Amino acid sequence: MNFTLSPAIKQLCPSFKMGIIQYKNIEVGDSPQMLKGRLRLFQESIYFDLESKKVTEFEGVSEWRKLFKTFGTDPSKYRPSIEALIRRIGKQTYLPSINSAVDINNFFSLQYEVPIGIYDSSNIEGHVEFTIGKKEESYEALNERNISLENKIISKDALGAFGSPYVDSNRAYVTEKTTQAVQFIYLKPSLSEEQAYKLTKSLSDMFIQIHGGEATYQVISCIYAKNKKRNISALKARHCVVITICMERVMRIELTTSAWKAEVLPLNYTRKYYQNLSTNK
């Protein structure tokens, strides 16, 4: 599966970048109790933060509101998914557990303060392009509403649009039958190349700790494509990193605490660590 940014995105936002992770041979199921607990505790932490902090003061929310405006979408009417999640938490309408893939997707979306989408690869056909939706484009979203995609950032394949940092379509959502998936991280434009790769790899590492299988990750960006002075062989090497972790999964047995410990970005790090990560030059 190949991924590209459209000329429209490159022109309107030269710093636009995407983290992309492809998973194979994964096992999606009910979330481990530790993930459920940490997701709930993290939401409660955000709720208390909102007592002294506006939603729009979150760095990720601020950046993505600006991006929506850049592409012609009113963020007050069509909110980035990360903003919608935080506003929901502010009403104490905490996210329910869906399955292990969706839950960890939501956790890291809140942790990184960016929209993140995950899709069943078996329902995606051919090349995927990230582009700006046209007036005539629309789809039925996960919320069962028909959504106009005009001036919205979308991901589309041979069959048409299926994803967006606003709300995804109902065509390729992940279920417990999913064995192959692809994850899109709508990275903050302010992140450096090194930070973008580190963040993408970290999410990949944690996902396969829970789901097993294999993960291949890459970062695509307008900047990298334009920089013709880069060492192409080195660039390809970085774009073709494959991580394989073999795990023994036993039904109804939770992962041990040690299984959650990773060299980069374990779930028990604080949000201050992530903020330092995103601002460290």
Side-chain angles (χ1 to χ4, degrees):
M1 194 179 297
N2 296 318
F3 307 91
T4 58
L5 300 179
S6 72
I9 284 184
K10 293 177 182 179
Q11 180 179 0
L12 290 171
C13 184
S15 59
F16 190 90
K17 54 180 69 72
M18 293 286 302
I20 300 169
I21 310 171
Q22 296 184 72
Y23 300 105
K24 294 181 179 180
N25 304 318
I26 60 173
E27 295 183 34
V28 178
D30 189 37
S31 288
Q33 191 58 44
M34 186 175 289
L35 174 56
K36 292 179 181 178
R38 290 192 182 281
L39 179 58
R40 177 56 184 254
L41 287 173
F42 192 64
Q43 291 180 84
E44 291 175 352
S45 172
I46 291 174
Y47 174 77
F48 288 115
D49 285 348
L50 288 169
E51 292 183 350
S52 59
K53 184 177 183 179
K54 296 180 180 178
V55 174
T56 53
E57 291 176 346
F58 284 79
E59 182 182 337
V61 172
S62 177
E63 284 200 41
W64 271 96
R65 285 180 66 89
K66 291 176 182 177
L67 268 182
F68 269 39
K69 289 181 181 179
T70 297
F71 293 121
T73 298
D74 181 356
S76 297
K77 186 176 181 181
Y78 303 101
R79 295 188 174 107
S81 61
I82 177 58
E83 179 179 349
L85 288 178
I86 293 176
R87 287 187 180 278
R88 175 174 176 156
I89 292 169
K91 298 176 182 178
Q92 283 190 298
T93 309
Y94 296 140
L95 301 171
S97 177
I98 305 298
N99 59 50
S100 53
V102 173
D103 290 355
I104 199 167
N105 204 69
N106 287 335
F107 181 90
F108 280 111
S109 184
L110 291 169
Q111 190 79 323
Y112 294 135
E113 298 179 13
V114 294
I116 304 177
I118 188 164
Y119 312 93
D120 190 316
S121 300
S122 67
N123 293 319
I124 300 174
E125 292 192 15
H127 172 83
V128 175
E129 180 184 43
F130 299 98
T131 187
I132 308 301
K134 299 178 181 178
K135 185 176 182 179
E136 64 273 16
E137 291 182 295
S138 65
Y139 58 50
E140 185 174 327
L142 287 172
N143 57 15
E144 299 183 346
R145 298 177 182 175
N146 190 64
I147 303 297
S148 169
L149 301 177
E150 183 179 11
N151 294 331
K152 296 181 179 67
I153 302 168
I154 59 172
S155 49
K156 60 190 300 184
D157 63 359
L159 301 178
F162 63 89
S164 170
Y166 168 51
V167 62
D168 288 321
S169 78
N170 61 6
R171 194 215 316 168
Y173 60 89
V174 170
T175 71
E176 294 189 4
K177 295 181 179 180
T178 299
T179 59
Q180 299 186 67
V182 61
Q183 198 166 34
F184 299 154
I185 310 170
Y186 295 87
L187 298 161
K188 299 174 187 175
S190 61
L191 288 182
S192 68
E193 177 185 358
E194 181 181 357
Q195 291 167 337
Y197 271 101
K198 184 178 292 186
L199 187 155
T200 303
K201 179 182 182 298
S202 299
L203 201 161
S204 170
D205 287 346
M206 187 56 67
F207 190 94
I208 57 178
Q209 277 202 352
I210 296 175
H211 300 94
E214 305 171 9
T216 305
Y217 69 90
Q218 66 185 58
V219 172
I220 60 173
S221 165
C222 314
I223 297 175
Y224 311 155
K226 285 182 178 179
N227 191 347
K228 296 181 180 180
K229 293 183 179 180
R230 291 186 59 83
N231 184 312
I232 300 302
S233 60
L235 184 63
K236 287 183 178 178
R238 295 198 71 176
H239 278 207
C240 298
V241 179
V242 179
I243 307 162
T244 304
I245 291 184
C246 296
M247 294 181 60
E248 181 178 350
R249 293 178 58 88
V250 182
M251 294 299 292
R252 302 183 183 280
I253 294 187
E254 302 293 347
L255 295 175
T256 63
T257 302
S258 61
W260 288 83
K261 293 181 180 178
E263 292 182 3
V264 183
L265 217 63
L267 291 181
N268 60 356
Y269 275 26
T270 64
R271 249 179 302 149
K272 184 176 181 181
Y273 171 87
Y274 296 101
Q275 292 167 353
N276 288 342
L277 174 66
S278 63
T279 57
N280 185 28
K281 301 299 181 183

